[in-house]
Amino acid sequence: MRDIEYGVFLPIGSGGWIPSTNAPVLDGSYAANRTVVQLAERLGFHFTLSQAVWRGHGGATRHFDDNLESLTAAAGFGEATERIGLWGTVNTSMLHPAVAAKIIATSDQISGGRSGLNIVAGGNRAAERQMGIGLDLDNPEKYRRAAEWVSVVKALWTEPSVDFDGEFFTLRDCQSGPKPVQGVPRMICAATSDAGLRFVAEHLDGVMFEGITDDRVIEVGQRTRRIAHEQGAEHLKSLCIFMVVPGETDADAARRVQHYSQAKDTVALASLAAEFGAGAIPVDVTSNNADAAAWAQTMALSTGTLAGSPETLAERLAGLADAADLDSMIFIMPDFVDDLRVLGEEVLPILERNGYGSRLRTALPPLARL
Ligand SMILES: Cc1cc2nc3c(=O)[nH]c(=O)nc-3n(C[C@H](O)[C@H](O)[C@H](O)COP(=O)(O)O)c2cc1C
């Protein structure tokens, strides 16, 4: 028996995660995403989560050119749902922690205590550069800043008045009401460098990373456990994002992958490669950015994709959950209605039967077929 929480990574960015003109068109709109969140809730997923993206990559697929603001979208979903957890992402270099603390407290009141927060500490250079933020911090410095940011947010959520003297933030009798209704919402960070993992183990509840390749998932999962153990942070959860392409049979799924790969959006992929590709950013070799050439290919469905029948997908996911010691699996997929139904109605039941977590049981009536 392995306790697993299941999540959906929402397509709040236009084009989704497959820069191919053969992929289903995802417009990234609020209305489309509200439907996905409502469907995820009825299928028993534990939470949805969305990215904080401020600059797209163009091309025929308009890859992420329109990207909703993550925290605002999550606040809206609070009105549209009853049970599911709603996580948003914020870049700690872009929003003062006192502003973020109040946004999350407000969102938590709207949803009745279902908010969670994913933070990124900065690293998306093109997005930051266009705003003149240009931190260009090396990893240790960016995580020192993020550590202060998190301390301020937690203090404002729990204390009537906060005085804080930091390297990056100064607060004097800073007050923030209302407090979140659930107490302190769970916080995670998307990071894979050693510096990032150490920061998460010390300050947060979980770390999120991508399933670029099986080996990479296992390596990051095991490194997360080792660092958490070294720091006495046994509570630390590891959450992995998987791109899944279901088919009725393995051959059907393979045909889908091939179809998408035949019409790659080379403009968007070139932009991604320039932003994240090997040598584009001098980073700690343990960071996912160091592996970004592979990552750009993942986006085009060359590597890192789990494709197959529901039985095959369940077997592959269970194997990776064990090998990487995962606490949560978060899914992206080509089509967030039909593929999400296959995941919720066929793949997750197999995983549950085999002892991998249990879905959120809802008393909600089924949503009419979409
Ligand atoms: C799973 C995952 C999701 C991410 N999501 C975002 C995001 O939504 N917005 C963003 O600006 N950066 C995002 N990033 C990028 C990170 O901010 C950036 O890669 C950072 O350098 C990761 O930290 P590291 O250097 O410690 O690995 C994400 C990174 C990972 C691994």
Side-chain angles (χ1 to χ4, degrees):
M1 178 73 195
R2 172 175 287 278
D3 204 12
I4 296 273
E5 279 190 67
Y6 294 107
V8 178
F9 208 80
L10 296 173
I12 67 166
S14 55
W17 285 273
I18 307 176
S20 160
T21 48
N22 279 353
V25 175
L26 299 173
D27 67 3
S29 68
Y30 178 75
N33 277 276
R34 183 181 52 208
T35 299
V36 176
V37 179
Q38 290 174 327
L39 179 59
E41 177 169 76
R42 277 155 179 82
L43 291 169
F45 285 85
H46 298 92
F47 64 95
T48 60
L49 195 148
S50 64
Q51 64 191 5
V53 167
W54 298 88
R55 189 180 174 92
H57 296 277
T61 58
R62 304 190 64 253
H63 183 68
F64 294 168
D65 285 355
D66 296 332
N67 197 98
L68 296 174
E69 195 288 309
S70 184
L71 302 181
T72 322
F77 302 141
E79 279 288 349
T81 53
E82 294 174 26
R83 300 278 185 88
I84 195 164
L86 300 165
W87 292 65
T89 297
V90 66
N91 182 326
T92 55
S93 68
M94 291 186 183
L95 198 61
H96 192 282
V99 180
K102 189 163 277 215
I103 290 173
I104 297 298
T106 304
S107 215
D108 206 48
Q109 195 172 110
I110 295 171
S111 68
R114 292 182 282 133
S115 296
L117 184 60
N118 171 44
I119 64 169
V120 289
N124 193 324
R125 298 297 194 274
E128 288 157 18
R129 214 181 294 123
Q130 70 178 352
M131 298 180 193
I133 294 175
L135 283 175
D136 279 335
L137 301 176
D138 60 15
N139 265 4
E141 185 173 345
K142 97 180 173 192
Y143 286 117
R144 283 210 310 281
R145 190 177 194 284
E148 280 192 14
W149 194 96
V150 169
S151 300
V152 168
V153 167
K154 284 186 184 168
L156 289 169
W157 280 343
T158 51
E159 296 166 24
S161 164
V162 175
D163 287 304
F164 190 89
D165 282 299
E167 184 185 349
F168 303 94
F169 299 106
T170 304
L171 286 83
R172 287 279 163 271
D173 183 25
C174 187
Q175 304 183 8
S176 187
K179 307 297 184 199
V181 299
Q182 63 176 289
V184 176
R186 286 196 291 173
M187 292 172 90
I188 62 171
C189 176
T192 53
S193 64
D194 280 356
L197 295 181
R198 287 203 193 91
F199 154 73
V200 182
E202 187 175 346
H203 296 278
L204 301 174
D205 304 301
V207 65
M208 181 170 70
F209 51 94
E210 285 153 298
I212 298 174
T213 62
D214 286 11
D215 287 349
R216 179 71 171 158
V217 172
I218 295 165
E219 188 275 321
V220 179
Q222 291 181 353
R223 189 154 46 90
T224 299
R225 280 296 169 239
R226 178 173 53 73
I227 288 175
H229 185 65
E230 282 165 13
Q231 296 189 197
E234 310 298 347
H235 68 279
L236 197 73
K237 304 284 186 205
S238 70
L239 304 85
C240 187
I241 303 174
F242 293 100
M243 161 66 84
V244 289
V245 182
E248 272 184 33
T249 63
D250 290 354
D252 288 336
R255 268 193 292 277
R256 290 184 72 189
V257 170
Q258 196 187 13
H259 179 60
Y260 302 146
S261 300
Q262 274 164 355
K264 287 180 184 176
D265 181 344
T266 49
V267 173
L269 285 167
S271 168
L272 279 162
E275 177 65 11
F276 298 105
I281 318 165
V283 284
D284 181 336
V285 291
T286 56
S287 167
N288 66 302
N289 285 339
D291 213 10
W295 183 69
Q297 285 181 338
T298 306
M299 306 284 281
L301 275 161
S302 296
T303 61
T305 299
L306 302 187
S309 67
E311 294 75 20
T312 299
L313 289 177
E315 192 184 322
R316 295 268 282 119
L317 289 164
L320 286 167
D322 286 338
D325 200 3
L326 301 178
D327 299 294
S328 175
M329 297 197 259
I330 309 173
F331 300 108
I332 52 180
M333 58 211 84
D335 179 299
F336 280 80
V337 175
D338 291 342
D339 291 338
L340 188 57
R341 281 192 188 282
V342 174
L343 263 179
E345 292 174 351
E346 299 181 49
V347 180
L348 296 198
I350 301 174
L351 283 162
E352 279 180 299
R353 274 200 302 281
N354 292 334
Y356 293 85
S358 57
R359 285 172 296 163
L360 200 64
R361 301 290 168 205
T362 70
L364 301 170
L367 200 63
R369 273 208 102 75
L370 297 158

